[in-house]
Amino acid sequence: MQSYEKALNIDHKNVYISQNIGFNYLKQGQIEKAIKALVEALNYPGLDDGKTEFYLAICYLKLNDKVNALKYFSLSKNKNYSEAKQLLTQIQNTNIVDEQAIKKRKNDLLIADILTEGQKFEEQKKLDKALKSFQKALKIDPKSIYAAQNIGFYYLKNGQSKKAINYLLNALKYPGLNDGKTEYFLAICYLQDNDNSNTCKYLNISETKNYPEASKMIERVCK
């Protein structure tokens, strides 16, 4: 390191000396000193392969400065430094996944609150408001199994078994409903429609998931 610094005193515009000083500081874990040296190296022409920008981005990444890290990874990528292309893609994909996970978590919490609101409206016999709450939740996430399930139960309670069937089948398209309850009430819908085949089909599925009422209903309807 001393020999590099001595050489830099002789020629302070020597980009390769500044670059090597920066690399050495990075290896030693002296990140801020590494950044200073690498930025200095880039003040002058000659470093065209993207390597300096790449390791400068690594320095900023170690300081958790994602803005500057992405800036220098992009500059390195533009100079066709191969490792920058790969790492930049990984970082961008990770950021996308993180953002999607955060958004999903927020939506899940919002949907849970709206469904709870709808269930309270049901208890208060405010059925129109209950349905609007369930529909609002399903609009936020069309794949919400609990929103679809609650709408299905709503229509079943109100004697609209065909509509109930559509929503309960939709709820079962996605994983998560493992207690057999949805299949049981889907069977009840089919029973009201005099569809014995589907009634027994879903009662049997419900029984395999250990829903307590299923076995009794099978004895009554399917034997």
Side-chain angles (χ1 to χ4, degrees):
M1 182 66 77
Q2 288 180 348
S3 61
Y4 285 136
E5 290 175 344
K6 186 177 180 179
L8 194 62
N9 287 331
I10 297 170
D11 180 7
H12 70 276
K13 293 184 180 181
N14 190 311
V15 293
Y16 301 105
I17 296 172
S18 293
Q19 184 192 57
N20 277 290
I21 290 172
F23 292 162
N24 273 278
Y25 277 132
L26 175 56
K27 289 176 186 175
Q28 294 170 17
Q30 299 185 62
I31 306 304
E32 291 181 358
K33 286 185 177 181
I35 289 172
K36 184 178 179 182
L38 294 174
V39 168
E40 180 67 22
L42 291 172
N43 283 334
Y44 306 102
L47 298 172
D48 302 320
D49 61 357
K51 183 176 180 180
T52 308
E53 289 87 349
F54 177 80
Y55 284 100
L56 185 52
I58 295 294
C59 290
Y60 281 117
L61 203 57
K62 287 181 179 291
L63 293 179
N64 203 30
D65 183 344
K66 291 184 179 180
V67 173
N68 275 313
L70 288 172
K71 171 186 172 181
Y72 284 101
F73 276 134
S74 294
L75 290 171
S76 180
K77 179 187 174 185
N78 291 340
K79 291 184 177 182
N80 296 314
Y81 193 69
S82 59
E83 292 182 46
K85 292 180 181 180
Q86 296 170 6
L87 197 53
L88 187 59
T89 300
Q90 290 176 9
I91 289 171
Q92 288 171 336
N93 287 341
T94 300
N95 287 340
I96 290 169
V97 170
D98 287 345
E99 289 172 9
Q100 289 175 341
I102 291 168
K103 183 179 179 181
K104 186 178 186 309
R105 179 61 178 156
K106 287 181 178 178
N107 279 350
D108 287 346
L109 292 172
L110 178 60
I111 287 168
D113 286 341
I114 294 170
L115 292 178
T116 299
E117 174 190 69
Q119 288 162 357
K120 286 180 180 177
F121 282 137
E122 273 195 315
E123 291 171 4
Q124 297 165 4
K125 308 300 181 185
K126 298 176 180 178
L127 300 183
D128 288 343
K129 288 186 177 181
L131 180 59
K132 285 179 182 178
S133 293
F134 300 147
Q135 290 172 334
K136 182 180 177 182
L138 194 63
K139 187 174 182 180
I140 293 170
D141 181 6
K143 293 183 180 180
S144 171
I145 54 179
Y146 300 108
Q149 184 193 54
N150 273 279
I151 294 173
F153 290 164
Y154 169 89
Y155 281 125
L156 175 59
K157 290 173 188 174
N158 286 276
Q160 300 181 64
S161 56
K162 291 189 184 300
K163 285 187 176 181
I165 287 169
N166 288 334
Y167 283 99
L168 295 177
L169 285 174
N170 191 50
L172 291 172
K173 284 181 182 177
Y174 307 104
L177 298 171
N178 302 315
D179 61 0
K181 181 178 180 180
T182 309
E183 289 87 352
Y184 177 80
F185 285 101
L186 183 54
I188 298 299
C189 292
Y190 281 119
L191 185 63
Q192 291 182 355
D193 274 5
N194 298 312
D195 184 339
N196 195 62
S197 176
N198 275 314
T199 298
C200 293
K201 172 185 173 181
Y202 285 100
L203 283 175
N204 282 308
I205 294 171
S206 180
E207 185 183 38
T208 62
K209 291 184 176 183
N210 298 314
Y211 192 70
E213 303 298 321
S215 296
K216 296 176 184 176
M217 187 63 73
I218 288 171
E219 287 293 329
R220 285 175 52 195
V221 177
C222 303
K223 297 297 183 181

